[in-house]
Amino acid sequence: MYRLPTISLSPPLRAAVLAGLTLLAGAPAPAPAQTQAPTRELVTAGVFTFAPYVFAGKDGPEGALIDFFDREIAPRMGVRFQWQRPLTVARLEHNLVTGQVLFSPILAHTAGRDRAGIQFDEAVYIKFEPCVAVLPGHRLNALRSAADLANMTIGWVVGAALPPFMRDARIHYDEVGGVDWEKQNLGKLKLGRVDGVYFSNCASARYYAARDELHLKLLPLPVPGAELHGVFSPLAPAGLVERYRKAARQAFADGRFESYLNKALADRVP
């Protein structure tokens, strides 16, 4: 039988080889490749334009509400919002019901939306003060009852909720369907095609008046303001809704949102 030749090592060389083998045997395993941080859960979100809260930007919605929810709410929820381009209120409601949009940061609570299965956070963090904007020479200086608006044509937007005060049969509406409905309606007001424009928040009317150097007379409604809620699609998992509720309680504390709103106004009004 063939035998492998024996290799004879000198004592110093043998000691060196043994030391090398000992070092190799005790060497730590190579560190695993560094893994990337887990990607945060993506939540499709939709919103309608409502200055100064939301503006239609070049690549999607912008404004105080978007910045606040991206920086304050999303990290607390462990998610990232994927904002759709601004929608009309009617389209936003439809997309929530069908699950094309899982979340919207502000929507008024109505019985019809309840019936459609839209999930509302019961907490109210944002309130709107409604008013009717008219031109400076208008006969009205205040609103005391819906009768004051009888036979007037008021500009509004398709699909948006109206308070009971404005749902009077004597009031006529000219509704527009675009996402830039404020601009369209105020343009009609300047041309005399409508008698007034309804705003669910006077802050929006004041913003456009300042931005466009437009003179308006604002007539606040003698009713409580509209309460806005964060809402989820009927198809959104319950766990996601609960995470939002906890995150919103923390994020809206101490007037944090107002600082975002003030910055948005300062950045956009000359």
Side-chain angles (χ1 to χ4, degrees):
M1 179 181 294
Y2 176 78
R3 293 183 179 182
L4 292 173
T6 302
I7 300 176
S8 178
L9 299 176
S10 65
L13 185 57
R14 184 184 303 111
V17 170
L18 289 174
L21 291 173
T22 301
L23 286 173
L24 286 173
Q34 187 175 3
T35 57
Q36 293 183 343
T39 303
R40 287 189 293 175
E41 180 182 355
L42 201 62
V43 175
T44 306
V47 72
F48 53 91
T49 57
F50 208 97
Y53 296 82
V54 180
F55 305 91
K58 179 181 178 182
D59 299 317
E62 301 174 355
L65 203 66
I66 305 302
D67 290 343
F68 179 78
F69 272 76
D70 278 345
R71 297 174 186 174
E72 303 289 347
I73 301 287
R76 288 177 167 87
M77 291 178 65
V79 305
R80 181 166 63 88
F81 292 121
Q82 184 179 48
W83 299 97
Q84 289 194 344
R85 289 189 177 276
L87 305 164
T88 63
V89 177
R91 174 55 62 179
L92 173 60
E93 184 174 339
H94 173 269
N95 285 5
L96 281 164
V97 172
T98 59
Q100 297 175 65
V101 166
L102 283 185
F103 172 73
S104 183
I106 52 170
L107 199 64
H109 200 164
T110 68
R113 289 166 183 164
D114 271 339
R115 288 192 296 270
I118 294 175
Q119 304 180 70
F120 283 80
D121 176 20
E122 64 278 2
V124 175
Y125 299 108
I126 297 175
K127 292 184 179 181
F128 285 177
E129 297 180 359
C131 67
V132 173
V134 295
L135 294 177
H138 197 275
R139 59 179 176 81
L140 289 175
N141 292 313
L143 292 177
R144 297 177 178 83
S145 72
D148 294 333
L149 300 174
N151 300 317
M152 286 178 58
T153 299
I154 303 298
W156 187 220
V157 58
V158 173
L162 283 167
F165 184 93
M166 297 297 294
R167 295 199 297 267
D168 189 287
R170 294 169 292 182
I171 304 173
H172 309 297
Y173 285 97
D174 184 344
E175 297 180 334
V176 298
V179 296
D180 59 345
W181 62 271
E182 301 103 329
K183 180 180 179 180
Q184 293 182 59
N185 280 335
L186 288 173
K188 290 182 179 182
L189 180 64
K190 289 172 66 176
L191 294 173
R193 294 170 57 187
V194 296
D195 301 304
V197 177
Y198 175 71
F199 286 89
S200 57
N201 192 7
C202 282
S204 184
R206 293 190 188 101
Y207 165 79
Y208 281 104
R211 190 197 69 174
D212 300 335
E213 297 182 349
L214 180 63
H215 296 291
L216 296 174
K217 183 192 295 187
L218 303 183
L219 309 175
L221 269 61
V223 297
E227 298 181 337
L228 283 300
H229 305 258
V231 299
F232 284 85
S233 165
L235 304 180
L240 188 65
V241 179
E242 289 306 317
R243 282 153 58 195
Y244 166 76
R245 287 172 175 155
K246 180 179 179 181
R249 283 195 299 269
Q250 297 171 352
F252 276 101
D254 303 323
R256 190 177 285 111
F257 175 68
E258 282 66 26
S259 65
Y260 283 80
L261 191 59
N262 292 335
K263 183 179 185 301
L265 283 170
D267 289 347
R268 290 179 177 267
V269 176

